[in-house]
Amino acid sequence: MVGAVLVPRRRVQTGRRRGAMEAADEEPCAEAPGDRCCSSAEEAALEVSWVQGFSNKNFGFINNQTVCYPCGNYILFLDIETKTTTVLHCQTGQVGAFAVNGNRQVLAFSDRKLNPIIYIYTFPELSKLTELKGNAQLDYTLLAFSFTGPYLASYSSMPEFVLSVWNWQESILLCSESRPGVTATSLSFNPMNWQQLCVVDERSVTIWCIERNNDEHHLKQNPVKLPGGQGSMSPHKDWFFPVSHSEDPYHGPDLPVSAIAGLVGDEAETYMPRNYIKPSVHPTAHCWTATSEIYMGCKEGCILAIDAETCSVSVLQQKPLPDYMRKISDVVSYVRREVQKKKGGKPKDLQKPVLFAMTFCNEGLYTAGSEGILFFYHIRGLQYEMKICADILQPISSLIFSPDSTVLLLVTDQGTVYAYKPAHSGEAVKLLDACSSFFLAADFLTPGNKYCVSVTISGEVQVWFLEDGTCLSKLNLDIEATAMACCPSSNSVAVGTKRGQIYFLDVTKVEAPRVVHRIFLSNFPVLSLHYDQRGQFLITSATEGHIFILDARPSKLFQVLGYVVLADEVLDLSVVSDLKNDLVEVMALLNAADAQRARLEFFYLSPALRTDNDKYVNEQGMLNPSAIKKEQYDLDYPLSSAVRLKDNIVYGYCTCAPFICKYRLSEENMLENPSIFLSERRTPSNQFGSGFLCLSPNSQWLAAAAEDGVLFIYHTFTMDVLAQKHCHSYQGGGIRSVVFSLDGKFILVNGENDGALVCLKWKKIKKIEVKEAAFHWQSLLAVLNEPTSNENVVLKSMAEWQFDPESTSESLPEKKFKEAPLKSSSVEMTEDGNVTSLYSTSTNDMTWIGQKIKKIIKEETQRFANQKKELQIGIKKLRKTIQKMMHENEQVPDIEKLEQQEFNLDLEEQERAQAEAEQEVARVRMEIEMENLANRYLQDVIKHECWDAMCVKECAVKCFHMACEVKNYPLKGRSEEELETLEKVLQLKKIETADLKGQKKNLAIESETVLSKEKGEKAEEVMADDSASYCLIGSLSSQYGGDTSILYHQWDLHTKEQKVNQIVLLKDIIYKVKTAFNKEFDIVAQQKEQEIARVKERNLRIREILAQLDVQVEVWEPALTDDEIPERALTVQDSEALENELKKLEASIQETTQNFDETVCKLSERKMKVEMVIYQEELKIVNLIYALLLDEELDTREVGLRNFLMKKEKEKVKAARTIQATKNKIEAYTDTYENAIFEEKNLESGFTKEFSDLPANLLDELLQLYKHRPKMKMTEMLLDTANPYENCSGLVEDHKEMLPLLMKAMDELDSPEHMPNGLDMSTWEHFCLARRNKMESEELVKWKALTLAEMQAFLQRRMDDNEKIKSETEDIFQELTWLQEEKQKLQLNLTVQFLLKQGQVELESTEIPDYTDAILINKSVIEELNCSIMAQGKKKIASMVECKEFSKGIFQLEWEHKKMRMQIEDLKQKARDIVTLPISKDRQLFLTALNYNSHITHHISVMEQSLGIMDKLHKKNVKNRQKRIKELEKCIRLKEQENYELSLELKEMLVSVSERRSIFEAADTQHISDKIAKQRYQEILRQKHLRGLVKDQKEQFEILQAEVERLRSRTFPIL
C-alpha cells in the first residue's frame, strides 16, 4: 500500500452559462466523432461505450425491428428483438429536429448551431448520404420524410418560420414558403400523395399543395376552417366582402366593419369584431388515411375528419351503444374511477378522452392520450365505435407503427416505451424503460468496475451494467434530488434533496435497490455529497456556508458527527485522504466578497471524530475550531472550481478567462493573516463558459468540463492534453458532472439539460497509464475489501425505511423550505414564564439541528428550574407591592401624586417602548400627511378643471314660495385656437356670401310677366316666408340670441369642409344662446338679491313692532342658498322676532316675493325653450358629424379596396408571367416529347432493317420477343404487409425508379434459355441490347408524357387562378363604382331638419304616406312656377282674343277684296277703252278728274297717312324687338347660370373621369372597357341619330315659319 495523498471521485455542478459559444461546435478531429486534435492527441483517445437517456419528442422505426431516437449529441438505435443498442454521434453538437423513413431506411436530423444543417444518414451502415444547407439561422423544429419519393420537409424556428421541401437525394431545395410568427407543432406528408403536406400549430391546420412545373415547384396554402370550441361548425362569413350592400335611407349604406373601424391594408382584410371571434378547437394529433383524408384529435375531445382536397371538416360522432354495452361501459368506467380515486388520481371520463397521439391502419384508427389507454376506433362514415385495446397507466405521447404495420409502439412522457401487436390483441409489452427527466449525477458502485448508479432531478435512481449500459433496476424516490454519491466502503448510495434530506440506499442487490435510512439535516438544500476515498466520512455542503460531517458507515446508522459554518457560500468541495497521517483533508472554494479573487478554506477530519465525537462538538452539534484546524488562503484569480493534489498543489478553473490556474500553497499563512497567492502556471483551456475540474482516483488525470460540452483530459503534472471528447453541447447546457472509475477505464459524463448520460472508455492509451491506474485501484481495494464486506452485511440486515403518511413534514410545500433556516431555534414563553419550543411534532419530523436545539432548551430548562421558580415568586410579590403603591397614590392630593411612568421599574424598556411608539406615530403621521397631500393635489386638479376653468360658474335661482329652481349654463372659456378657428370660418363665410351676392346681381330677380297687382301678394308671401324660415333653418336659435344668418343653408352642405364649418358655426350659436340666457339669469339673480334686501329692510320694522307688542314670533327672512352662491356657504342668522303695520309688511313681503316667483317661473319656461333650441342645434351637429363619419367610412373603404386591388394586380401580373413562362416551357418540352416519340418509332422501324438478313421465321419470333415485356414484382417490403399505404403511387417518381427495376427484370429474359433455335449468340446479344434500348425509350416517353401532363395541369391551375383574380378585380371595380355613386348620393341627399308646428300637418288616415320618391324643393320655386303659369295663361287668352278679332277682319277684307276685284274688272274694261284714245295719262287724269287739285291733294294725304301708319308699325316693331331683346338677355343670364352649374358639374365629372382613367390605366380592364366602350358607342350613335332628327325638325320648322311669314306678309302687306 502506497502512503500517498489519494483524491476520490467527485461530482461538481456547473454554474451559469455564458453567451454565444458557437466555436464549441467545431469538430476538427478526424479520428473519432467529436474529437479534436491536440498536441498529445496521439497518446490517447476516448470513445463512447454507451449512451443512456430519452427524448420523447422524436421516435421512429428505421426498419421493421429497429427503432431510433435522439438523445443529446447522439442518436440511439434499439433492436426490439435483441435489445441491443447502436449509437450515432452528431459531430456538431446536440441533435435538433429528427425524422425517420422506415421504407428507405434513412434518417434525417439537424444540428442546433448557427445556420444549422440537415444531415441524411442511411441504416445500418450509418453513413452520411448528404447535407442540406438552407437559410435557417437558428434552428429547425420539424422534419418529415415523404412515404414515396426522395422528399423531405423542414420547418425552421424564429426568425424565419419557413416551410421548405427538399429533394434529399439530389440535395436540392425545391420550394419554400415563410409563415411569420407561426410555430408549427407537427408536420407530415400525405402517404398517398407526396404533393400534399399537413402543417399543424396550436390553433390552426394548413394543407400545403406542392405544385410542380417540370423542374419548378411551388407551395400553395389551403387553410382549414376548424370548428368552434364545442365541436360545432359555424358558417364562414367574409367580413371584408359582405354578401350584399343593404342601404338605410337615413343611416346610409351598410359598410364592412373594417371600414367602420377605420382600418386599411392587411388589417382591414383580416379584421373581425371581438364579439364574433369564437375560440376554435386545439389540434393535438393527426394522421393520414388511405383515402387522403386526415383524422385529427383535439384537446376538447372531439375527432375531426378533414378532406385534403376541399379542406372541408366533419366532426365524427360516437355510434350509440346498445343497452347492454352501455351498462357494461358504465360499470367499467365506474370501476376505473374508483381505482383512480384509491390511487389518489383524478377520475377521468373515458367516453370523450383527450387524444395526444393517433395512427391509422387498415382496420381503423388507434388513439391514445393522457389517460394511458390505447383506443381503437372503427369508423364508418361520420360515426365510430370505440374499444379499449391496452391500458399502461401512463400518459401516452405518441403512437408509431412499424413499416410493415405489425408492431405498434406506445411512447410515454415518462421515458417508457411499450410494444403492442394488433394482430395478437394482447397486452402491451414494455420495450424500453428510460429516464423521464434530466440526469443529475452518476457514480461508480464499489468496487467500480462492474456497476454504476445515476439519479435524475426528479429523484429516480437507476443502476446500470457498466459493460453495455443495461438498466438493471430503477427506484423512484419521488422527490427533487440535488446531489448523489456512492460510498467506497459499502454498497450504499447517498442522495441529497432540495428539502435538506439525505436518503441512503442499499444497492447490495443491484436488481432491487431500497431505501434503508433517511436523515433530515436542516432546511438548507443539500448542494453536494462527497465521500473520502476510504469511505469513512460523508461530507455534505449546504447553503450559507454550512458543511455537515456524517459517519459513512451503515453500522453507525450514518450518524451526523457535526457541522461547520464557513465564512461565505461554498462553490466547490475537494476531499483528500491522507493515508500516511490518517487524516481527511477538506478544501472548500468560497464565494469571496471580492469578485476578482478566490478564497480557499481548509479543515481536517481525524478518526477520533467517529470514536469520541462529544469531545469535538459543542451542544449545538458544531465542530470546535481546534478539532478541525481551519486554514484560509486567498488566490489572485476568481475560480469556479478547484481540486487539491499532494504537495499542497491546487488546480482551479478560472471564471474571468478560459484557463486553468496552478497554485502551490504554503502552510505558513494561516487564518489570522491570510495572504494572496499568485498562480504558478496558467494553462489555456480552449473551452467556453463556466466550467469545473475533476481529478482521477490516482491523481494522474485532470478532467476539465464546461458549458461548451467538450471534455478535456490533462496530465496533472505536465498539463498536456491527453484526450478530449465532444460528448455534449452548449445548446444542452454543457456538462453537469464528470466522474472517473476506480480502475480508470471508464468515465461517466452527464449533460446539463440534454438528458444524456455518456459512458466513455479509452480507445487508445499508453500501457504505463493503464498500469498506474490498475495499481492504484488494486491498492485501494486491498484497503477497502474488509470494511466493505463487513458494512455490506450490516447494510443488508437493515430494514427498509418506510414513509410515514401521517408525517406533516413530508407534505409541506417546497416553498416553505425556501424560507430562512434555523427556524428550529425559535422559542416562545408562556404566561407563567416557561420556555417551550415551537416544535410540537415528533423528532422524526424535525431537522437534526432542530433536535439539537430542542435538546439544549430542554436541558437548560431542567437545570435552572429552581432558580426560575424563585424568580417567578419574587416577580409576583413585586407586582403586588407596586399595585398597592399605585392604589395609595390615587388617594393622595394631586400635588403629592406621582406620574404613571414613575412606577415603571424598567426605565430603559419604557424609553425603548416610547421611542418605538413615537416612531410609529411619526410613520403614521407621515402617511396621513402624504395622503392629505395627495388629496389636496387631487382637489387642486379637480378645482382647476371643473371650477377655475369655468368663466361662468354654475349657480341657481330658487323661488321664495314654490319648489321651482332654475340653473344657468356653466361655460368654459373658449381657447385661442377655438376662437381662431371660428374667426377663420366666419371670414370664409363672408367671402362666400359676397361672392354669391355678386353672382346674383347678374341674374334677373323678377320676371316682367308678373303683373303689378301681384306685388302686394308677393310682399305678403315674403312675410309668410319669414315665419317659415324657422322651419327651413330647423331651429329657433334666432329668437334666443343666436345669429342664424351666418349659417350655411341646409341644402348647400355638400362638401366635407362645409359640414365641418357648419359644426363650428352651430357650436358658436349654442354658446351665444347659452350666453344670452345667462344674461337674463343674472338679471333675475340680481333681482332676487334686491328683493331679499327689501325684505330685510321690512323685517327690521317688523321686529320693532314685535318688540313693542312684546310678541315672540319668528320672522321669515329669505336668504341665498349654497346653490345660488356656490363660492361661499351662508350661515343662517337668528332673526328678531309684528299688529296692522305688521300685516301690511307681511302682505307686502308676500306680494313682492310672489311677483319674484312668477319671474322665476317665466325664466324657467324660457330655460326650457332655450334647452329646446340648444337640443335642436346639437341635433344638427350630430347629423353633420354622422354625415362626416359616414363620408370618412366610405373613404376608408375605398382606400382598403384600392389596396386590395393593388395586391390583386400584383398577383395578376405574377400569374400572367407564370402563365407565359409555363406556356413557353410547354412548347419547348412538347418538342422534346415529340422527338422522344419519333426516336422511339425509329427504333421500332429500324429493328426489322437491322435484322433483315435473318430468316423469316426467326425474324417473326424475334419480333414477338422484341415486343415482350417482363412482369414487375412488388417490392419485398410490401409483400404480405398490413401497411394501409402500400398502394400509393408517386407517378413520375415511380417511373424514375421503375427503370432500374425493369432493367433488372430483363436479366431473366436476356438469358440464353429464351434464345430461339438456330440463332447465334452474338446476334442474340445484339438483339437483347436493341430490346433494352427500346424499353428505355418507351419508359422515357412515358416519363415525358407524365411530365408534360403535369405541366399542362399546372398551366390550367394558373389560368383558373388568373380568371378568379379577374373576377375578383371586376367585383372590386363594381364596388368602387358603387362607392362613388354612394358618395355623390350622400353629397346631394342631405339630411335637413324642419320645425313643424303642432297640428300643422294633417293626415286623412292613420297610415303615414310613403315619401321615398318625394323631392324636397323650396316654396319660392313653386310660387314662381305658378306665377309663370298664370302669366302664360293670360298671354294665351289675350292671343286668343286677338286671333278672334283678327279673323273678323280677315272675313271683312275678303269681302272687300271681292268687291275690289269686281271694280278692278270694271276699271280694266274702262281702261281698255281709254287706251284706245290717243292721249297721255296725265291728260287723261286731268280730263277725267272733276277736281284735279283736290285729287292731287287727296293723293298726298293718303301717302302721308300711309307713312304715318308705317311709322307706327315701325315703332311697334321696335318695341317688340326691345322686348324680345330683354327676354333674350334674361335667357342669356339663365343660360350663363346653367353654364356655371354645368361647369361645376364638369369639374366633378373631370375629376371622376381622371379617377376612372387612373383606375383604368392601373388595372387591366380591357374586357370591361371594351364592353363600356361598346355601350358608349351605341349611346353616341343614338344621340347622333336624335341630333339628326332634331336638326331635320328644326329645318322643317324654320321652313314652315318662313312660309307663315310669307303668307302673313302677303295677306297683310301693310303690317
Side-chain angles (χ1 to χ4, degrees), residues 1586-1604:
L1586 293 175
R1587 289 194 189 98
L1589 292 176
V1590 170
K1591 185 176 180 181
D1592 294 340
Q1593 292 179 359
K1594 184 177 180 181
E1595 291 176 355
Q1596 293 177 4
F1597 180 74
E1598 290 177 353
I1599 293 171
L1600 293 174
Q1601 189 175 8
E1603 184 68 22
V1604 170

Side-chain angles (χ1 to χ4, degrees), residues 213 216 1211-1228 1351 1354-1356 1358-1359 1362:
N213 182 17
E216 292 183 359
E1211 293 179 4
K1212 186 176 181 180
V1213 171
K1214 184 178 178 181
R1217 292 176 180 174
T1218 305
I1219 290 172
Q1220 187 61 37
T1222 305
K1223 288 181 178 178
N1224 296 335
K1225 287 185 177 181
I1226 290 176
E1227 291 177 0
M1351 296 175 68
F1354 179 81
L1355 176 62
Q1356 185 61 40
R1358 296 292 77 80
M1359 294 179 67
N1362 192 29

